[in-house]
Amino acid sequence: MVAAINDALDVALARDPDVHIFGEDVGVMGGVFRATDGLQAKYGAERVFDTPLAEAGIVGMGIGMGLAGLKPVAEIQFAGFLYPALDQILSHLGRFRHRTRSRYHLPMVIRAPYGGGVHTPEQHADSPEAILAHTPGVKVVIPSTPADARGLLLAAIADPDPVFFFEAIKLYRSVKEEVPTDYVTVPLGQARHVTRGDDVTVVCYGGMVEVATRAAEAARQAGIGVEVIDLRTLVPMDTDTVLESVQKTGRVVVVTEAPRTGGFHSEISATIAEEAIEFLRAPIVRVTGYDAPYPPFTAIEDVYRPSAVRVARAVRKVMAY
Amino acid sequence: MTISSDSLPQAGLSPEGAAASEAAYDAGQAAGLFQILAPDGEVVRPDLMPDTGTQLRLYRQMRRARHFDERGWVLYRQGRLGVFPPFGGMEASQVGTAAALSADDWLFPTYRDTGAALTLGLPIARTLAYWRTSPHGWAMPENLKVLPFYIPIATQYPQAVGAALAEKRKGTRNVAMAYIGDGGSSEGDFHEALNFAGALNAPCVFILQNNGWAISVPTRSQTRATDLSRRAEGYGLPGVRVDGNDVLATWHVTAQAVERARNGEGPTLIETVTYRVKPHTVADDPSRYRTEEEGAPWREKDPVTRLRAHLLRTGVLNEEGEAALLAEVAAEFEEALREADTYPDPAPAEILDHVFAEPTPQLRRQREELLAEVEA
């Protein structure tokens, strides 16, 4: 997947001279995960450049670049490092169009690796997507396949509004597939069916898609048809696809690796409860991380992060209700 | 070996520390201020006097700013402004700096910089609408790159670096100028921006208006530093300290900094030393935290009367000419106020506009909900 992201950035830089990529270590080093590998050599240090080590500065500067007509694409080394920049994001990035009545808009993309499963140190595995999804005026995209990552990133860069693009660290090098070689975008706001099934709907995104898909396979062998829906974008969310599936299955499991309370899974659950409660045959079950900081200790990380086993258990639970 | 805690510097907020810091602060305030006109209007640096056209232009802008400031109070009391942070007494700090820009440059003002925005050309009617908290005041004019007044402190500094960098990438000679107060220089964004601007050689001019107070907290409680312009040194930038009540001085140093930035010579930090004569906002009661006497010497340093004394003494302006100028400024304001009064109230559903270029399905749905709610 990281190669697909690198390719999307390459295509975007080649296509639009206003695209500028910047962040910590994105230049010579090519990013801590090599997502920007080779781009500075190809496009020069004016368009792909290293910044001082300061996230508020990176996002704030990007806002200024966007105001002045460039297409800033910032990399934050880990989504858990976004917090120093939250003032810039909440106070400005999300509301600049609104507070200037569209006189200015911010076509900025902020890429950040997120999520667990690869035994990172403290603060490297956070899933802060709900904070951003709760911020008016910003879009949130979380791909789960190389082709989606490429197509969604190109769409995000073309989008006139600010987009957070979270990349599951676990998927960077673990999933491979053929991707297009030309300019192909995947539109924001359209969910994807990963599997089809009539019994249970599993709604997930990013790093949890692979986990849910394994659980669906186990359920299929037990004779339960699971429909795995990869949301792809949280903002805007494709509620139609979710509701359509729920109307068919009547049973819902929502999966994320973020903490439980106030997470985006709660938004998904509430939307289903509001719009399709008459179709539900069982209470919605959430499979999530816990309301504790993500653990850095290898041995217990797998307890925190939802596994296929936990998802399969939730599927059995909604079936047995 | 251990270090006795007695030998360590005292924090500024302990009584002893505060007294020491206060003395150092007062000494620092007095020292090294760049000036062209003394408070009585006498010329200190005849070699740097701008031509009379520039003197008159700056005087007119200060009068426009002061008129807005004075009328702003009245309009607030009449319920015709939603809120207003006054800036009276700081006209030289705002007008002199903003007057050094061209219309193609960027201005990032804080909420207290109405005077700077007016000087760059923000129409009075729109400025009034902004302080009425009306959406008609939110969209800045297409022919100017002045941003809406920033409410969060210091956030505009890194953004100005980005705008400056973008101009540089596009090969223009345009610069970005951002304002902040002494309190704002405690924020992380201030320091990140100065560092970014230096590292990336962004054509930026940073104005730090040291007006003595961050709401109720005096600068000497805000920081142990007594010369905020010297913070620039830590980032490899030139820092300039200027009498913020001398409009010729603020204009001169800012014009130099702008020129340096245009020529690719990099960013500058300018500290304008001035005083917030008035309350923080119309809702503030400064008698809770400072005395009348404290402000008295500052009223003698009034920036408007300072230049006025010089203009009258040298005959660049006479009483008659000044009366005509004041009448013109007042008429311009009243005309703009009439225009602002014609702006209609926003429709309820407008609160959902301009969130994204295209509303999301969620926003479309919420608009329907809102309309149904309003009609119910």
Side-chain angles (χ1 to χ4, degrees):
Chain A
M1 193 169 90
V2 74
I5 289 163
N6 182 268
D7 189 48
L9 295 171
D10 192 351
V11 169
L13 283 162
R15 205 178 142 81
D16 182 352
D18 285 338
V19 172
H20 285 62
I21 292 174
F22 52 95
E24 295 152 5
D25 300 306
V26 301
V28 178
M29 180 173 162
V32 288
F33 290 102
R34 306 289 179 266
T36 55
D37 200 22
L39 298 178
Q40 186 178 67
K42 194 164 172 185
Y43 296 98
E46 293 232 313
R47 293 187 64 201
V48 180
F49 60 97
D50 288 315
T51 64
L53 188 90
E55 286 77 14
I58 291 171
V59 175
M61 183 183 74
I63 289 172
M65 291 165 69
L67 289 172
L70 296 182
K71 296 233 31 152
V73 180
E75 177 176 300
I76 300 294
Q77 285 183 332
F78 292 88
F81 299 174
L82 267 175
Y83 310 141
L86 282 180
D87 182 24
Q88 287 290 344
I89 294 163
L90 274 61
S91 296
H92 296 293
L93 185 68
R95 62 178 87 202
F96 230 101
R97 178 187 286 280
H98 194 70
R99 68 190 286 268
T100 66
R101 307 274 91 185
S102 295
R103 162 73 168 89
Y104 292 102
H105 69 284
L106 295 172
M108 182 171 182
V109 174
I110 298 176
R111 292 181 38 249
Y114 91 100
V118 290
H119 310 314
T120 49
E122 277 189 289
Q123 271 141 6
H124 288 64
D126 285 18
S127 298
E129 66 271 15
I131 299 170
L132 288 316
H134 193 62
T135 302
V138 303
K139 296 179 178 176
V140 180
V141 178
I142 311 183
S144 72
T145 72
D148 269 7
R150 188 179 186 278
L152 287 165
L153 183 51
L154 286 171
I157 293 171
D159 198 277
D161 291 309
V163 180
F164 281 86
F165 197 86
F166 290 117
E167 301 159 7
I169 298 169
K170 172 94 165 125
L171 302 180
Y172 267 146
R173 298 190 186 274
S174 67
V175 294
K176 297 193 190 314
E177 69 177 345
E178 290 293 314
V179 300
T181 53
D182 48 355
Y183 185 77
V184 179
T185 60
V186 174
L188 309 187
Q190 287 183 12
R192 172 178 76 98
H193 285 92
V194 184
T195 64
R196 299 272 181 175
D198 294 332
D199 300 317
V200 180
T201 300
V202 175
V203 187
C204 54
Y205 51 83
M208 287 293 103
V209 174
E210 180 261 337
V211 171
T213 308
R214 276 192 283 126
E217 175 57 25
R220 192 185 62 79
Q221 287 177 4
I224 304 167
V226 175
E227 187 143 293
V228 174
I229 294 175
D230 172 7
L231 277 184
R232 286 168 156 169
T233 64
L234 309 194
V235 180
M237 178 167 103
D238 180 359
T239 44
D240 289 352
T241 296
V242 172
L243 294 175
E244 214 171 275
S245 177
V246 172
Q247 286 169 15
K248 177 174 67 177
T249 62
R251 299 182 188 91
V252 182
V253 172
V254 186
V255 191
T256 73
E257 56 191 299
R260 176 79 49 86
T261 301
F264 194 78
H265 42 273
S266 305
E267 176 62 30
I268 299 166
S269 306
T271 302
I272 294 167
E274 278 185 350
E275 304 295 329
I277 199 156
E278 69 271 29
F279 295 94
L280 290 182
R281 298 191 214 176
I284 300 166
V285 172
R286 295 177 290 170
V287 183
T288 71
Y290 297 98
D291 288 344
Y294 194 98
F297 313 105
T298 304
I300 57 169
E301 175 180 6
D302 297 337
V303 176
Y304 185 95
R305 187 173 188 260
S307 62
V309 171
R310 271 172 69 193
V311 177
R313 203 173 291 142
V315 166
R316 284 201 300 278
K317 186 176 173 185
V318 295
M319 285 300 291
Y321 182 80
Chain B
M1 194 183 88
T2 57
I3 298 173
S4 151
S5 65
D6 296 342
S7 69
L8 294 174
Q10 294 295 307
L13 290 175
S14 70
E16 310 78 38
S21 160
E22 191 159 338
Y25 179 81
D26 290 343
Q29 285 294 73
L33 277 189
F34 176 80
Q35 228 174 32
I36 292 180
L37 271 187
D40 60 4
E42 284 299 334
V43 180
V44 182
R45 290 291 303 269
D47 53 322
L48 297 177
M49 281 301 285
D51 58 46
T52 54
T54 302
Q55 295 172 30
L56 275 174
R57 179 164 68 95
L58 293 170
Y59 185 65
R60 166 184 287 272
Q61 290 294 358
M62 283 205 292
R63 279 297 187 187
R64 286 178 84 233
R66 175 148 298 181
H67 191 79
F68 190 107
D69 190 69
E70 285 170 351
R71 290 288 280 132
W73 270 103
V74 177
L75 292 171
Y76 172 75
R77 295 246 162 82
Q78 294 171 342
R80 295 165 78 189
L81 287 190
V83 68
F84 182 61
F87 57 90
M90 293 170 58
E91 289 88 348
S93 173
Q94 297 190 14
V95 168
T97 49
L101 294 179
S102 304
D104 286 334
D105 297 319
W106 292 85
L107 183 81
F108 289 75
T110 77
Y111 52 80
R112 199 177 305 289
D113 299 320
T114 294
L118 292 173
T119 301
L120 191 69
L122 188 66
I124 294 170
R126 226 182 253 267
T127 314
L128 285 167
Y130 180 88
W131 291 118
R132 282 179 177 180
T133 60
S134 153
H136 298 282
W138 294 7
M140 297 290 136
E142 290 289 336
N143 60 345
L144 277 182
K145 296 187 287 197
V146 50
L147 281 307
F149 301 105
Y150 280 70
I151 305 299
I153 306 293
T155 51
Q156 66 274 35
Y157 256 44
Q159 295 178 16
V161 176
L165 197 66
E167 294 288 354
K168 185 174 150 186
R169 295 282 189 260
K170 289 179 169 189
T172 74
R173 281 167 55 83
N174 302 332
V175 308
M177 195 153 89
Y179 288 76
I180 202 177
D182 45 300
S185 75
S186 300
E187 289 274 1
D189 277 8
F190 167 82
H191 299 275
E192 294 191 18
L194 261 58
N195 191 46
F196 271 61
L200 298 163
N201 201 38
C204 236
V205 181
F206 299 111
I207 307 296
L208 194 175
Q209 298 186 86
N210 181 349
N211 68 8
W213 292 89
I215 308 189
S216 68
V217 178
T219 312
R220 54 184 163 273
S221 299
Q222 185 81 227
T223 175
R224 198 182 177 92
T226 53
D227 181 343
L228 301 184
S229 69
R230 289 190 60 191
R231 290 185 169 178
E233 284 172 29
Y235 305 101
L237 320 184
V240 184
R241 201 150 183 275
V242 58
D243 183 337
N245 284 23
D246 175 357
V247 74
L248 302 184
T250 58
W251 177 80
H252 179 83
V253 300
T254 313
Q256 278 193 325
V258 167
E259 196 51 30
R260 272 173 38 77
R262 288 202 206 293
N263 293 336
E265 293 165 55
T268 307
L269 174 69
I270 297 170
E271 179 191 4
T272 65
V273 179
T274 180
Y275 186 76
R276 193 190 81 214
V277 179
K278 292 186 170 175
H280 166 61
T281 71
V282 284
D284 175 35
D285 173 14
S287 72
R288 291 176 70 95
Y289 55 83
R290 68 185 190 191
T291 60
E292 271 294 305
E293 302 85 74
E294 182 197 300
W298 283 97
R299 274 180 270 276
E300 286 162 25
K301 295 178 193 163
D302 185 283
V304 177
T305 53
R306 185 183 305 196
L307 183 55
R308 178 177 184 271
H310 171 76
L311 293 175
L312 291 177
R313 185 177 307 138
T314 54
V316 174
L317 193 66
N318 57 26
E319 301 277 356
E320 239 170 53
E322 192 192 31
L325 186 152
L326 293 182
E328 224 174 280
V329 163
E332 181 197 11
F333 185 90
E334 294 312 310
E335 175 61 31
L337 179 60
R338 276 194 292 278
E339 184 188 329
D341 284 344
T342 66
Y343 295 160
D345 285 341
E350 279 187 45
I351 61 175
L352 296 177
D353 290 345
H354 304 288
V355 179
F356 294 111
E358 290 292 327
T360 59
Q362 285 73 19
L363 279 164
R364 284 208 187 89
R365 175 130 192 209
Q366 288 165 29
R367 169 178 288 267
E368 286 165 23
E369 274 174 32
L370 182 147
L371 289 175
E373 197 69 36
V374 171
E375 281 159 20

